[in-house]
Amino acid sequence: LCGSIFLTVALALERYRAVWRPVEYHNQCVGVNPWKRVLISYLLPVVVFCTLFNIPKILEVEMIVKTEAEIVKQAILDESTNETLEINITREFNQSWAAPTDLRLNEIYVVVYANIARLFVQGIIPFICLIFLNYRIYWVMKRRRQLTNRPQPQTQVQGRNGGGPLTPQQKKANEAQQAVVLSVIVVLFFVCHTPRFSLNIHEFLVSLAQCLKITITVAF
């Protein structure tokens, strides 16, 4: 979940760099393996950050194994009397289940990490970043559409079908198409994560109210 959120932010950041600083972006991409650039610039930082941020989640649950015994009745045949007898047999078995640890039940941990930190890191901060980046991309694309009457260089005459470099008009159309795709992805991101975001806010308010109630009770 954390990785998908920040990969969406990384995708928006990559489009923002390509649209906002096209010359610098082009110079950085020339002669560089695209998969290596994506791995080093976006994928690796996201994986490292999400792994470090979610380490406490591993300590929230523990497996409890308990050996229990039950008495079952079993029918046997007495060969001497040719009668069926019932005897009680004790059978042992292991029962396992997942239980929250003391860390997960700690009020401070619940409020600070499980609610505040996760609310900001997986909710508020990505939402603000996506809104800002997409607004800037939209502003640049709108500004470029207003400059369509400017003279364009004629050095690149072959289009995509001819196998040559793209003309400035084709580059703008390509960037506009990628911006639209990113906008659709971001809209789906907001639609899918808004219920989770609302539940996190509700959980945070409830946990904060319980923590304040416990603090006031202990103080009195």
Side-chain angles (χ1 to χ4, degrees):
L1 176 62
C2 186
S4 64
I5 291 174
F6 282 94
L7 282 178
T8 306
V9 177
L11 177 62
L13 178 61
E14 194 271 342
R15 283 293 86 208
Y16 169 77
R17 292 177 57 194
V19 173
W20 188 254
R21 294 288 187 268
V23 178
E24 297 178 1
Y25 179 81
H26 175 73
N27 294 334
Q28 292 178 356
C29 296
V30 172
V32 179
N33 189 330
W35 292 107
K36 181 179 180 181
R37 181 178 62 85
V38 171
L39 177 63
I40 297 178
S41 301
Y42 301 105
L43 185 58
L44 186 60
V46 169
V47 171
V48 172
F49 171 76
C50 294
T51 302
L52 294 177
F53 180 75
N54 286 278
I55 286 179
K57 296 291 293 182
I58 304 175
L59 306 176
E60 291 184 358
V61 180
E62 62 179 352
M63 295 299 300
I64 298 178
V65 180
K66 185 177 180 181
T67 302
E68 296 185 357
E70 64 177 359
I71 299 177
V72 295
K73 293 183 178 181
Q74 183 174 357
I76 61 173
L77 178 64
D78 189 355
E79 296 179 353
S80 60
T81 59
N82 200 19
E83 294 180 355
T84 302
L85 303 177
E86 289 186 353
I87 60 174
N88 295 328
I89 299 177
T90 303
R91 185 178 63 181
E92 295 184 352
F93 62 94
N94 294 331
Q95 186 177 8
S96 305
W97 68 90
T101 61
D102 295 336
L103 176 66
R104 185 64 180 86
L105 299 177
N106 185 275
E107 291 83 3
I108 298 178
Y109 174 82
V110 171
V111 174
V112 174
Y113 177 79
N115 290 294
I116 296 179
R118 301 189 71 84
L119 179 63
F120 275 87
V121 173
Q122 295 186 358
I124 296 178
I125 295 177
F127 275 34
I128 293 176
C129 291
L130 289 175
I131 292 174
F132 171 78
L133 294 175
N134 282 271
Y135 169 76
R136 299 295 284 180
I137 293 174
Y138 169 77
W139 185 84
V140 173
M141 301 303 298
K142 181 179 179 181
R143 183 165 176 251
R144 289 185 179 180
R145 283 196 298 267
Q146 296 174 354
L147 301 176
T148 53
N149 295 327
R150 293 182 59 186
Q152 301 292 341
Q154 301 298 327
T155 55
Q156 299 176 346
V157 294
Q158 292 183 345
R160 183 180 304 174
N161 295 332
L166 299 178
T167 63
Q169 292 82 2
Q170 290 174 330
K171 287 184 178 180
K172 289 183 179 181
N174 187 22
E175 291 176 357
Q177 182 180 5
Q178 293 180 2
V180 171
V181 172
L182 175 62
S183 300
V184 173
I185 293 175
V186 172
V187 169
L188 291 177
F189 176 87
F190 281 112
V191 171
C192 295
H193 286 273
T194 297
R196 179 189 62 83
F197 187 65
S198 303
L199 291 176
N200 288 344
I201 295 178
H202 177 266
E203 183 182 1
F204 165 69
L205 295 177
V206 172
S207 301
L208 183 61
Q210 293 178 352
C211 184
L212 293 177
K213 182 178 180 180
I214 293 174
T215 304
I216 295 175
T217 303
V218 173
F220 280 100

